[in-house]
Structures are given as C-alpha cells and as structure tokens.
Amino acid sequence: MQAYQQFINGALVDSHSPDWIEVENPYTNEIISRVPQGDAEDAYAALEAASKSQGAWSKKTVAERAGYLKQMASLIRSSRIELARCLASEQAKVLPLAQVEIDFTADYFDYYAGWARIYEGEIISSDRLNENMFLFRKPIGVVVGICPWNFPFFVMARKVAPALLTGCSIVVKPSSNTPNTTFEFAKLVATLDLPKGVVNFVSGGGKTLGAALSSSSLADMVTLTGSVEAGQEIIRASAENITKVSLELGGKAPAIVFADADIGLAVSRIVASRVIFSGQVCNCAERAYVHSSIYDEFADKFTKAMKAVTKGDPFADPTPDMSSQIDKSQLLKIDAMVSRAKADGAEILTGGKIADSQTGYFYEPTVIAGARQDSEIVQKEIFGPAIPILPFDDYDEAIALANDCEYGLTSSVFSTNINTVMQSLRDLKFGETYVNREHFEGLQGFHAGWRKSGIGGADGKHGLMEYLQSQVAYIQF
Ligand code: NAD
C-alpha cells in the first residue's frame, strides 16, 4: 500500500506526527493508501519554508515563473493516464470524467502561464503638478490553499497556478478523503528545479492542520474551497491577523425551466447535471422550478430519465453515468435529508433510498415533488443524486423562488425567448448563470459565489487579481 510523505521545502519528508490517515477507495471499500495526519508542527514547517522562499521567488521574472507552470502542465500530461486512474480510485469518479479533470488541470497551468506578460500595473494622473502616480501589483505573499474532495486535482491547480505566477508561495492541504493525486503531483514537482519552499503539500485534518495553517501569522491569504461551515471557521481563524480570505463554498443551484423551453434539452441537461460525479458538484442543479403549464410533462420525462441513470464501477466500460458517493457519512446525510423531506409531506417520484450494492456507497437517483420552498430539501445543499422539482406560475414567482436561498453560487435558465433570458440574467442573484446548458465553468471566466457561497473567486483575470495587492507610488519630478 502506498504511504505518502509530506512535501515541505522542496523535499518529500516524514511528518512530525506518528499518526496516519487511511484513504479508502469508495467503490471497492478497500484502503488504498495512507497519508500523514499532519499536525501544527508540519503546518509551521511548511509555512516557514513558504515564507522564506517567497521574496526570492517574487523577484524572478514573471516569464521565468510562468516557465515552471508550463513544466507542471507538461509533467501532468506525461502522466495523464496514471493520474486519472489514481483520481478515479480515490474518489469513485468515473474514469472518463477523471481524465477530463486531469487534462483540464494541465490546461489550467498553461492558461495561467499565458498571463505572464499580460497583467499590468497602472499609471494614474495626479492632482498635483509634476507628479505621477504608479500603481504596482505585488504578490500577496504566502498563500494557504485548502482543497475539497470533489475536484481535488483541479482545485489544487486553481490555487497553485495563480499563486506561483504572481510571485506568491503556497502551502496546499488536500482533503483527507482524496490526497493521493495531490501527492502524486508533489512527486512530479520534486523532479523540477523549482526553488525550495515555493510549493508545499501537507496532509491532515481540517480542524487540526487546516486550522493551524489558516490561523498562522505566516499566512497572508487563505483560499478555501469547501463547505460553508469550514468557510465560517476560516473567517474566524483569520480574524486575529486580518488575513485575507478567498472562499468558494457550497451551492444550491436553481434550474428554471420556462414554458417556452426546449423540454427535452432541459430534462437531459438537468439530469446530467444532477448525477455527474454522483451529484457531488458545487455548481450543478440542486433544485428545479418548472412552469406549471409544462410541469406534468417535465416531471414525467425527468423521472423516466432519472430512472434510466446507470451506476456502477467507475472503471467499467461502458462507463456508468455515476458511481459511489464519496463515503458513508455523505451517503447517510443524503438519505437523512430525503427521509426528512418525505416525513415533511414531499412525494418521491423515483429513488428515495440507499441502493442495493455489494460494495460502495450508492444512492438511488431521486426525484422529489411537492416539497415546500422553505423546507430543508429545497434550501440546503444535498450534494448527491437527488433533486426537488417545484412548479411556478409566472416569471416573477420563478425568479423570487430561485433567489430565495442563502447560497448564491450558480443558477441556470432554460428558455427559447431572448427577452426572458436577458431579464433572468438581470434579476438572478448568483455568481454564475448558465443558459440552456448546465455545469462547468470556463478557465477564463470568474467562479465566485454570492451570499454564503463565498467571498472572492477563481479563474480568469479576476481570479488572478485575488493573489495580488496594490502599492501606489507618488513620484514628483
Ligand atoms: P469541507 O468543508 O468538509 O472540507 C474542505 C477542506 O476544508 C478540507 O480540506 C478540510 O479538511 C478543510 N477544513 C475543514 N474544516 C476546516 C477548518 N476549520 N479549518 C481549515 N480547514 C478546514 O468540504 P468538502 O466536504 O471537502 O467539499 C464539499 C463542499 O465543498 C461542498 O459544500 C461543495 O459545494 C463545496 N465546493 C465548492 C466549490 C466552489 O467552487 N464553490 C467547489 C467544490 C466544492
């Protein structure tokens, strides 16, 4: 069984802690690896290394730093098959989707390498005679990147690539469920002549290692992708040192299907969105609102399509639509939420229970009708293959129902009427809206949540800016 080491100050090293975290393949239920249960000493060692290296790293030319990003992209591509298999086995992501994540991650490093000669400072007109004002953009310093288990490889790159390009150094903590691909990447990074300490990978619990990292005075920024609860704890931890936080948190994405929508398209897109990676994707449809004139037809077709969803071995050929949930606690959480919805009077159109299976943590694809707007199943992130569908009577009601939620990450609209689409884009209060399609943002966009879905964001020009701070110089001549 593979036993990974921490990657600190340019070397694969043993943890200060004698304890280990066992990593389970969620589909086979076998223990496939172990990673150190890192502690506060590991946190300090990694942050110290990042802190010591950051000054010299930021003084390299941006083109030179971009060169390392390109090398990382190329290393990922050279191991793309092995990395995809590693990812599929640590999280039961179907192999083709795991491959998409690995390939997209390589593209992500290349994309941010391309920003090397593009981001700029500013020259500002002064109110004084014979004075220029320069606005420099400087790296924020030492970044702590804390990652979730659902897209562990891509989210790691989402933090490492902009940090390194801008001259920051970084300490990354993967989720304890899915550390393997990150540590396989660490082994690849160890083969580069990257200055020591610029990138560090440490494993450990959120409330222990994660808390030690995010409360440290050595951290200049903490970027978390994870749950609202973890985001709240990181805000509290950042208070002492007024550390910058960038938080990408949960979602409860509404999908609105207007009366003039292409119903077949809406059904296929929303079903695919709800079951991709077994419903464990932050930006995928979590609740559907359907115009009452087409509700019955939609509900019928949608239920049939959810019944037809295939599930099984993530390595199987042909590929099933979905596989196991990440672990038993997630499976039980989904089942408990659906059970409470039933007890609250909702009707289960299909599914509604844990699936029979020899191995893995499978949940039946589930459609729920008749749930109240203010009920838990409509308001709280479920993160599994279950979705409530609710009718609405007019445009204003649809928008009000969609906006009535503490999350504000993503949303979607299905309509063939350009006016309805444009009005929806004006009125929906979400960081992202997909029109006549579902899930997955572009690397050149800006993935950012409103309300409890986060602060700050990632990708594109605006994602790069998160890692930069300004310095204004007043120059008399
Ligand atoms: P989680 O919050 O349980 O864990 C995320 C990371 O935070 C893990 O590495 C964990 O160890 C760490 N952590 C937990 N408590 C911490 C603390 N007190 N201090 C420091 N670190 C701590 O989330 P998860 O279960 O891994 O991921 C699922 C969640 O992530 C869902 O809510 C999903 O919507 C969200 N997510 C959001 C996005 C986005 O882009 N907005 C993307 C992917 C996942």
Side-chain angles (χ1 to χ4, degrees), residues 425-445:
L425 293 176
R426 180 193 63 196
D427 296 335
L428 283 170
K429 295 177 177 167
F430 293 83
E432 241 162 57
T433 301
Y434 307 119
V435 177
N436 293 322
R437 78 152 169 103
E438 281 288 345
H439 59 262
F440 290 174
E441 55 275 15
L443 39 71
Q444 67 277 59

Side-chain angles (χ1 to χ4, degrees), residues 76 87 90-91 93 97-98 100-109 111-112 147-162 181-182 225 248 282-283 440-444 447 458-460:
I76 292 170
L87 186 61
E90 71 177 328
Q91 56 167 192
K93 182 172 276 168
L97 182 59
V100 167
E101 179 172 345
I102 300 298
D103 294 345
F104 193 68
T105 303
D107 291 349
Y108 203 82
F109 277 107
Y111 169 74
Y112 267 124
C147 301
W149 49 258
N150 67 339
F151 285 88
F153 202 61
F154 167 60
V155 172
M156 176 275 297
R158 222 179 203 176
K159 301 181 188 312
V160 171
T181 34
T182 298
T225 303
E248 291 159 52
C282 63
N283 54 5
F440 290 174
E441 55 275 15
L443 39 71
Q444 67 277 59
H447 185 57
D459 311 333

